[in-house]
Amino acid sequence: MQELQGSSRFDRRAVKVDEAARLVLGAAMPGRRESVPLGQAAGRRLAEQASASCDWPPFARSGLDGYAVRSADTAQATPQSPAVLRVVGAVAAGELARAAVVPGTAMRIMTGGAVPEGADAVVMLEQTADTLENGQPVVRVKRAAGPGQNIAQPGEEFRRGSPLFEAGTLLRPGHLALLATFGYADVAVYARPRVAVLATGAELLPVAAPLAPGTIRDSNSVMVAAMAEQSGAAALPLGRLADDRDAVTDALEAALAQADIVVTTGGVSVGDYDIMAAIMRGWAPDRLAEASVNSSLAEDRLLFNKVAMRPGSPTSAAVVKGKLVIALSGNPGACFVGFEWFVRPAILRMQGAAIETALPEAVTAVLDAAYEKGSPHERFVRTRLYVEQGVLHADPLAFGKSSMMASIPDADGLIRIPSGSSGLPAGSLVEVLLLQG
Amino acid sequence: MQELQGSSRFDRRAVKVDEAARLVLGAAMPGRRESVPLGQAAGRRLAEQASASCDWPPFARSGLDGYAVRSADTAQATPQSPAVLRVVGAVAAGELARAAVVPGTAMRIMTGGAVPEGADAVVMLEQTADTLENGQPVVRVKRAAGPGQNIAQPGEEFRRGSPLFEAGTLLRPGHLALLATFGYADVAVYARPRVAVLATGAELLPVAAPLAPGTIRDSNSVMVAAMAEQSGAAALPLGRLADDRDAVTDALEAALAQADIVVTTGGVSVGDYDIMAAIMRGWAPDRLAEASVNSSLAEDRLLFNKVAMRPGSPTSAAVVKGKLVIALSGNPGACFVGFEWFVRPAILRMQGAAIETALPEAVTAVLDAAYEKGSPHERFVRTRLYVEQGVLHADPLAFGKSSMMASIPDADGLIRIPSGSSGLPAGSLVEVLLLQG
């Protein structure tokens, strides 16, 4: 019997998934920067380190409503014999006191007010009683106030110039609060990487089309575009292409002209119509050498066209005209896994994320159900995660059914089944890659 | 000594935080709906149940590249004596076979291709070898193929009409893939609730302003607006107001006219300038009765103006003109906690989330450091969560420093310290509310 088909036709060398991801990250450099108003900066990543523009708090601030006092004046105070202090004014937030607190006096102060000169403690309003004595307002304090009590000292939280966040930090609402505090009305962030999305496959119809026999609607484009946007990219969905090498080549060319990353789905397998596989193969070093291509083309290079993982082993990546082309499988489950391993990290990296941050985040969890199959390659199985009594559990969804779309929306993790494993019993501690919410 | 001040001035009854959250949710009803193109539906919530518009797969689909065969023809096949089948054509994805597979024949088929009549199994290309015999193409199959092998049967994954997702479902990229599959080019979703954000406090400057003595920049508005958008709302940041009752009343009126929810920050405490506290108090049932107000005003009602929690105990909520007014503390840490407990749930509920889904999601985790303080009220402490050996750990950030802003961005959970507890030793199992990423 002669040589088997397909796998031999393309001599694809499988690289391990971690190595493949690092190859992609090696080709994804932090990209363009832009300035955006603070109110639009959530979900973006800082392009420069942010630092404290002043000490924080900028002045001695009262933490609550009450009376600013000299702690020494209250040292002997008891409920039976309260300290009686003459009230010399009030200081609201936003203003400065017009007088100092001298011995035997106190000043009414509001939350956030600047503690007046002379005072070194604030007594909570609820722990005081005010009255008039000889027509003068006085306040009674029935307990000793400690020096510094209820006062945030200048610079206590931040020193002017001290770093707040590093470049590459993903900005969440709490980051914006600190940036506002320090006057960042505009923020330097990385521009959204432009991610072109191209679906290949003669069987694909637009979403709005009625089904014809043998056809299906393109579901990968909208999923990949949404995943790209979720990662901070601007998605450019460029539609569907039949399995025609010239048409796909032209479309890739056009996509490369307008995008930072080109993601394709479908056509990466071993079949006769697997156009992306053939095109990617054209960027392999041996092919380029054969073709005695010019130097610009010689910089194009295949990164890998087989990954030692299931699903998604034919996932491929190349650098073309200095940009990443990532060819995902057309199988929705494989497309999803390929995105998490290669496309999301590249998008994050182009926004300045450190390499370790850009890679999928992994945790350990207890496997709820036995996984029976061994596999020559690592396998990624969609799972739901939940916590019980402080223990993280992975409840696998549709074990071994990567083609099933139904469980993709429910997944919040991917269980990593080691290669060669003869299966894992329920209760095993497994590695799980976390998916975005 | 006469009565203590502040707390007695407003006789505020503290409600438990869960009860307070349910009072808010009782006033937040699923709101307006709209139709959006599928490509813009990620992060939105379905307004109607979605269902399968056809069986899925719609036809018997090949799961891989290979040959469609009659399994009976291969029953005796071995590596030494392979089944030799005449190749009667090829079927690519997107087309129908022009012939049937009759006994003794096979048809080349691509991934996603419609399995031709007569065939009941697909053999992987890599497990076959093709050649010519008497000038006719034949394929050799060296192992028996099981009936149904590598074929997804029509309706195997979904039956036409079966439900996909319930109304209120948050649409993630995987949901979009399924909606695309079933032809949902447009999707009925809940409109983004409009959340007006008003900061009160005479000390507050706009973010772009230089600091003057005694002043700080408004950091809550941008944080609250970003948290609202993160929850699916459209934020309307309406700026800052000094502590002037008429100005704040007018601004609330204007905000109520254009928003679904009005969120204020600051002015809820017991101080002389705590305008929001006074305004909220005006909606309390006894005050409304005193004022013998008209029936429209009588529908306005205070939900609560004290919550048995730290930080954020003066957090208040009312229903005014049928809309929620939620008054958060001006302290950034308390503002943050108040948002998670009251504003986010209301925004989610207005987008159709079930009440249990809208409430903060809680998990259990192992506390990494002892919490020493007892407290008459429940306390929420920001924490970083991490997993080690399948166990979820809560590493508390800045225990007891709710005013500290520095740790807000780093928090991914809020540890719930029970009331009255005299402290919790390290290693305790604690409840942690999960924060959005």
Side-chain angles (χ1 to χ4, degrees):
Chain A
M1 188 170 177
Q2 75 276 44
E3 222 188 345
L4 293 180
Q5 305 185 71
S7 59
S8 61
R9 208 163 28 159
F10 295 156
D11 181 24
R12 295 181 170 192
R13 186 182 71 87
V15 297
K16 285 195 189 299
V17 64
D18 303 87
E19 185 195 337
R22 283 176 188 275
L23 286 170
V24 167
L25 285 176
M29 288 299 156
R32 289 164 293 119
R33 297 155 180 227
E34 63 188 16
S35 176
V36 296
L38 183 59
Q40 294 166 26
R44 306 297 294 271
R45 285 177 185 262
L46 273 184
E48 296 167 2
Q49 185 188 72
S51 56
S53 56
C54 61
D55 282 357
W56 190 261
F59 51 86
R61 279 187 93 201
S62 175
L64 41 74
D65 274 275
Y67 282 91
V69 301
R70 299 173 75 100
S71 58
D73 283 352
T74 67
Q76 312 300 326
T78 63
Q80 292 70 39
S81 166
V84 181
L85 303 170
R86 189 161 56 86
V87 177
V88 293
V91 56
E95 61 179 40
L96 295 185
R98 270 167 245 137
V101 172
V102 296
T105 70
M107 195 175 290
R108 183 80 179 84
I109 191 167
M110 313 305 154
T111 308
V115 176
E117 214 189 303
D120 70 344
V122 171
V123 181
M124 206 179 194
L125 187 67
E126 292 90 329
Q127 293 173 358
T128 66
D130 56 15
T131 180
L132 290 178
E133 245 180 51
N134 307 326
Q136 296 287 322
V138 298
V139 63
R140 287 157 198 269
V141 176
K142 62 174 183 176
R143 215 175 283 160
Q149 172 186 300
N150 297 323
I151 296 176
Q153 301 298 340
E156 180 179 295
E157 201 168 346
F158 292 98
R159 282 293 173 187
R160 179 181 176 155
S162 62
L164 297 171
F165 317 118
E166 296 308 310
T169 300
L170 174 67
L171 297 175
R172 301 164 70 192
H175 294 94
L176 301 198
L178 270 170
L179 292 172
T181 295
F182 292 111
Y184 284 81
D186 297 286
V187 193
V189 296
Y190 283 100
R192 297 189 182 284
R194 292 163 302 200
V195 176
V197 182
L198 266 174
T200 73
E203 75 278 27
L204 299 181
L205 298 176
V207 173
L211 288 186
T215 64
I216 59 172
R217 299 185 184 95
D218 170 23
S219 63
N220 284 332
S221 285
V222 74
M223 180 174 79
V224 168
M227 293 174 89
E229 302 229 318
Q230 197 184 42
S231 316
L236 307 171
L238 299 182
R240 294 149 294 99
L241 289 167
D243 305 304
D244 175 279
R245 183 157 180 165
D246 288 346
V248 174
T249 303
D250 290 352
L252 283 175
E253 191 95 10
L256 284 164
Q258 56 183 307
D260 300 306
I261 302 177
V262 178
V263 180
T264 67
T265 63
V268 287
S269 195
V270 296
D272 295 353
Y273 297 86
D274 282 324
I275 296 304
M276 279 310 300
I279 291 174
M280 299 298 276
R281 177 70 183 156
W283 291 314
D286 52 335
R287 288 297 175 92
L288 291 170
E290 278 169 28
S292 71
V293 290
N294 67 38
S295 65
S296 128
L297 279 176
E299 289 165 18
D300 299 343
R301 62 186 197 280
L302 181 73
L303 296 174
F304 52 83
N305 61 0
K306 189 169 184 180
V307 184
M309 70 173 185
R310 295 264 185 283
S313 63
T315 305
S316 307
V319 178
V320 182
K321 298 184 200 294
K323 292 173 175 175
L324 272 169
V325 176
I326 303 177
L328 302 176
S329 170
N331 167 311
C335 176
F336 185 79
V337 170
F339 188 98
E340 291 296 329
W341 268 107
F342 310 117
V343 186
R344 194 188 300 281
I347 293 171
L348 299 183
R349 180 69 181 141
M350 291 192 70
Q351 295 170 87
I355 287 181
E356 295 313 315
T357 311
L359 287 167
E361 186 184 349
V363 297
T364 45
V366 173
L367 184 63
D368 271 6
Y371 184 76
E372 310 285 3
K373 276 198 290 198
S375 163
H377 294 319
E378 286 190 286
R379 189 175 284 275
F380 294 96
V381 176
R382 296 192 289 274
T383 186
R384 206 183 270 126
L385 292 170
Y386 67 98
V387 180
E388 204 173 76
Q389 294 290 304
V391 176
L392 188 65
H393 289 261
D395 178 19
L397 297 158
F399 254 156
K401 291 272 192 181
S402 71
S403 65
M404 290 287 193
M405 271 182 300
S407 69
I408 296 180
D410 296 330
D412 41 29
L414 293 170
I415 303 170
R416 187 170 194 160
I417 311 275
S419 65
S421 127
S422 56
L424 293 169
S428 304
L429 205 59
V430 288
E431 186 178 324
V432 179
L433 309 183
L434 297 180
L435 301 173
Q436 282 212 346
Chain B
M1 189 170 179
Q2 74 276 46
E3 221 187 346
L4 294 179
Q5 306 185 71
S7 59
S8 60
R9 211 168 19 166
F10 295 157
D11 182 24
R12 294 182 171 191
R13 187 182 72 87
V15 297
K16 285 195 189 300
V17 62
D18 304 86
E19 185 195 337
R22 283 176 190 275
L23 286 169
V24 167
L25 285 175
M29 288 300 156
R32 289 164 293 119
R33 298 156 179 227
E34 63 188 15
S35 176
V36 297
L38 182 60
Q40 293 166 25
R44 306 297 294 272
R45 284 177 186 263
L46 272 185
E48 295 167 5
Q49 186 188 71
S51 56
S53 56
C54 60
D55 282 357
W56 190 263
F59 51 86
R61 277 187 95 202
S62 176
L64 41 74
D65 276 274
Y67 282 91
V69 302
R70 299 172 76 99
S71 58
D73 284 351
T74 67
Q76 313 300 325
T78 64
Q80 292 69 39
S81 167
V84 182
L85 304 170
R86 190 161 55 86
V87 178
V88 294
V91 57
E95 61 178 39
L96 295 185
R98 270 167 244 136
V101 171
V102 296
T105 70
M107 195 176 287
R108 182 79 179 85
I109 191 167
M110 313 306 153
T111 308
V115 176
E117 213 190 305
D120 70 344
V122 171
V123 181
M124 206 180 193
L125 188 66
E126 292 90 328
Q127 293 172 358
T128 66
D130 56 15
T131 180
L132 290 177
E133 245 180 48
N134 306 326
Q136 295 287 322
V138 297
V139 63
R140 287 156 198 269
V141 176
K142 62 175 184 176
R143 215 175 281 161
Q149 172 186 300
N150 297 322
I151 296 176
Q153 301 298 340
E156 181 179 296
E157 201 168 345
F158 292 99
R159 283 289 173 192
R160 180 181 175 153
S162 62
L164 297 172
F165 317 119
E166 295 309 311
T169 299
L170 174 66
L171 297 175
R172 301 165 70 192
H175 294 95
L176 301 198
L178 270 169
L179 292 171
T181 295
F182 292 111
Y184 284 82
D186 297 288
V187 193
V189 296
Y190 283 100
R192 297 188 181 286
R194 291 163 305 200
V195 176
V197 183
L198 266 173
T200 73
E203 75 278 28
L204 299 180
L205 298 176
V207 173
L211 288 185
T215 63
I216 59 172
R217 298 186 184 95
D218 170 23
S219 63
N220 284 333
S221 285
V222 73
M223 181 174 78
V224 168
M227 292 174 88
E229 302 229 319
Q230 198 183 42
S231 316
L236 307 171
L238 299 182
R240 293 148 294 98
L241 290 167
D243 305 304
D244 175 279
R245 182 157 181 165
D246 289 345
V248 174
T249 304
D250 290 351
L252 282 175
E253 191 96 8
L256 284 164
Q258 57 184 308
D260 300 306
I261 303 178
V262 178
V263 179
T264 67
T265 63
V268 287
S269 194
V270 296
D272 296 353
Y273 296 86
D274 282 322
I275 297 303
M276 278 310 300
I279 292 174
M280 299 299 277
R281 177 70 182 158
W283 292 315
D286 52 335
R287 288 297 174 93
L288 290 171
E290 280 169 29
S292 71
V293 289
N294 66 38
S295 64
S296 129
L297 278 177
E299 288 166 18
D300 298 344
R301 62 188 197 278
L302 181 73
L303 297 175
F304 53 83
N305 62 359
K306 189 169 184 181
V307 184
M309 69 172 185
R310 294 265 185 282
S313 63
T315 306
S316 307
V319 177
V320 183
K321 298 185 200 294
K323 292 173 176 176
L324 272 169
V325 177
I326 304 177
L328 302 176
S329 170
N331 166 312
C335 175
F336 185 79
V337 170
F339 188 98
E340 290 295 331
W341 267 108
F342 309 118
V343 187
R344 193 187 302 280
I347 293 171
L348 298 184
R349 180 69 181 140
M350 290 193 71
Q351 296 171 85
I355 287 181
E356 296 311 315
T357 310
L359 287 168
E361 185 184 349
V363 296
T364 46
V366 173
L367 184 63
D368 270 6
Y371 184 76
E372 309 286 1
K373 276 198 290 202
S375 163
H377 294 319
E378 286 190 288
R379 190 176 283 275
F380 295 95
V381 176
R382 296 192 290 274
T383 186
R384 207 183 268 124
L385 292 169
Y386 67 97
V387 180
E388 203 172 77
Q389 294 290 304
V391 175
L392 188 65
H393 289 262
D395 179 18
L397 297 158
F399 256 155
K401 290 272 192 181
S402 72
S403 65
M404 290 285 193
M405 272 182 297
S407 69
I408 296 180
D410 296 330
D412 40 30
L414 293 169
I415 303 170
R416 185 171 196 160
I417 310 275
S419 65
S421 126
S422 56
L424 294 169
S428 305
L429 205 59
V430 290
E431 187 178 324
V432 179
L433 309 182
L434 297 180
L435 301 173
Q436 282 211 348

